[in-house]
Amino acid sequence: MPRVSVVMPCYNHARFVDETMRSILKQTLDDLELIVIDDASKDDSLKILQGIARNEARIKIIAQPQNRGPSRARNVGLSAAVGEFVAFCDADDLWNPDKLERQIRLLEQQPDRDITYCNSKIIDETGRLTGELFTDEFPHPPTESGQLFEALCLTNFINTQTVLARRLALRDRLMFDESLRYAEDWWLWIRLARHHLFIYDPTPLAFYRVHSQSTARTKQSGFQKSRCRIGSLNLRAHTDMPTRIKAEIWYRIGRDLCLLGKRRSGRRFIMKGISFGWTARLPLPRLARMSACLALEWAGKT
């Protein structure tokens, strides 16, 4: 049984997939399997994958007949995984050679923790460093390790391709919601954080590629819709969460609805967030900012 199963979804990544696969196969930890799920690519991705796999026994390729999205692709890979640990890497990102070995050591040193994640450097389309870190764009909460449920309820600060998790300890919780096309990883981290502890390594062990086809750049409305849905799912699934967290979720749903042009519904959700905020005695500066946002929405100035 391999020590680590690496799950890599691929869709139209012919430009990057060769470099990505080689960064995984060059890990200092040799005991791994690389499960690549080609999600019905329309370019030469599958041909490139098959060419590399011909000479590499650690690669397992699963070709899907139709495009089902990253959640389905990752779940197919997870179902095929047999390693003690599971890691994720998108087909346009890269890893440091010692990423897996270092992360396994962290989990072995702290057996009460089941998931570890790290920082990553941002690269452009050509692979050049931009000088930015993932945390520059997605800041972390004051507590980066341990119990992260409340922090993750408010924002996603975990980069999927930096995660390593114990496969058997997580069991059926380690699955992505296939109804979500965007931000699907966020909903998974929230559910995992409800039951499991995390370890954060500030060392950037990966490279996160931002390019013209990155979904974060091209699908802003899709992310806003998904954030609204995840907020609603979270409120229904975790009714016992603190009122102050519920207040923030209602407010953020409302803000995203306004950005989507659904101002009437958005204002209603923002008002509910403010109401919950007063009940939870949120700090007055925070309530003032929420109220100012509502005032601007009523004035039609956002």
Side-chain angles (χ1 to χ4, degrees):
M1 182 177 76
R3 197 75 189 280
V4 182
S5 295
V6 181
V7 175
M8 189 180 85
C10 179
Y11 177 67
N12 291 348
H13 282 115
R15 291 178 297 165
F16 310 119
V17 69
D18 181 275
E19 185 182 13
T20 298
M21 291 176 71
R22 296 190 189 283
S23 82
I24 295 170
L25 296 171
K26 289 180 180 178
Q27 290 293 296
T28 53
L29 176 82
D30 185 60
D31 190 9
L32 62 84
E33 65 172 353
L34 173 56
I35 305 171
V36 187
I37 307 89
D38 183 75
D39 199 17
S41 293
K42 296 177 181 178
D43 61 7
D44 290 332
S45 293
L46 184 57
K47 186 185 299 183
I48 295 170
L49 295 173
Q50 291 170 336
I52 299 173
R54 249 181 243 117
N55 302 311
E56 179 53 75
R58 292 177 295 171
I59 298 175
K60 180 188 299 181
I61 297 176
I62 301 173
Q64 299 200 124
Q66 58 181 341
N67 181 265
R68 299 287 297 277
S71 291
R72 174 62 178 171
R74 291 192 186 106
N75 286 344
V76 167
L78 286 169
S79 297
V82 296
E84 180 184 355
F85 300 93
V86 174
F88 306 96
C89 188
D90 288 344
D92 53 353
D93 295 326
L94 303 170
W95 285 353
N96 272 14
D98 63 339
K99 175 186 182 291
L100 293 180
E101 186 174 11
R102 182 178 176 121
Q103 290 187 310
I104 285 176
R105 192 181 307 122
L106 281 175
L107 289 178
E108 287 179 336
Q109 291 170 348
Q110 301 184 61
D112 62 322
R113 311 293 172 100
D114 290 321
I115 307 114
T116 183
Y117 69 108
C118 63
N119 208 341
S120 52
K121 297 179 180 179
I122 297 180
I123 56 176
D124 65 15
E125 196 152 355
T126 66
R128 288 180 296 190
L129 293 168
T130 66
E132 296 177 300
L133 295 173
F134 187 82
T135 47
D136 294 332
E137 190 162 348
F138 301 93
H140 286 179
T143 301
E144 299 170 316
S145 295
Q147 174 54 258
L148 299 182
F149 175 71
E150 291 186 8
L152 281 165
C153 282
L154 302 182
T155 184
N156 184 17
F157 48 86
I158 296 178
N159 187 355
T160 303
Q161 58 123 357
T162 71
V163 169
L164 178 79
R166 301 184 197 274
R167 184 175 64 89
L168 293 181
L170 305 182
R171 300 184 187 279
D172 60 334
R173 294 195 185 98
L174 189 58
M175 299 297 277
F176 293 84
D177 188 329
E178 295 178 18
S179 70
L180 294 169
R181 192 79 179 185
Y182 307 104
E184 70 286 343
D185 57 332
W186 183 25
W187 180 225
L188 177 61
W189 310 146
I190 290 171
R191 288 182 287 133
L192 290 178
R194 183 72 165 175
H195 303 280
H196 301 278
L197 301 178
F198 288 66
I199 306 173
Y200 174 63
D201 184 348
T203 306
L205 300 174
F207 299 89
Y208 178 61
R209 194 187 303 267
V210 176
H211 52 88
S212 58
Q213 293 179 325
S214 297
T215 53
R217 285 188 170 183
T218 61
K219 303 293 183 182
Q220 280 301 318
S221 64
F223 277 102
Q224 289 158 1
K225 291 174 184 176
S226 282
R227 286 199 299 263
C228 290
R229 178 161 159 66
I230 290 167
S232 298
L233 287 170
N234 197 10
L235 288 166
R236 289 199 298 269
H238 305 121
T239 56
D240 60 339
M241 72 172 66
T243 303
R244 59 185 172 78
I245 301 297
K246 292 180 181 178
E248 288 284 0
I249 293 174
W250 284 119
Y251 167 73
R252 291 169 192 233
I253 291 174
R255 192 176 57 187
D256 272 325
L257 286 172
C258 289
L259 290 171
L260 288 166
K262 300 180 180 180
R263 295 184 179 277
R264 181 178 297 180
S265 297
R267 290 193 293 262
R268 189 169 67 249
F269 278 82
I270 292 173
M271 285 190 288
K272 193 165 185 176
I274 294 171
S275 175
F276 271 70
W278 278 108
T279 301
R281 296 183 179 180
L282 285 181
L284 287 177
R286 180 59 181 153
L287 287 169
R289 286 194 295 272
M290 294 164 75
S291 299
C293 178
L294 179 62
L296 289 172
E297 281 300 330
W298 279 113
K301 294 181 179 180
T302 60

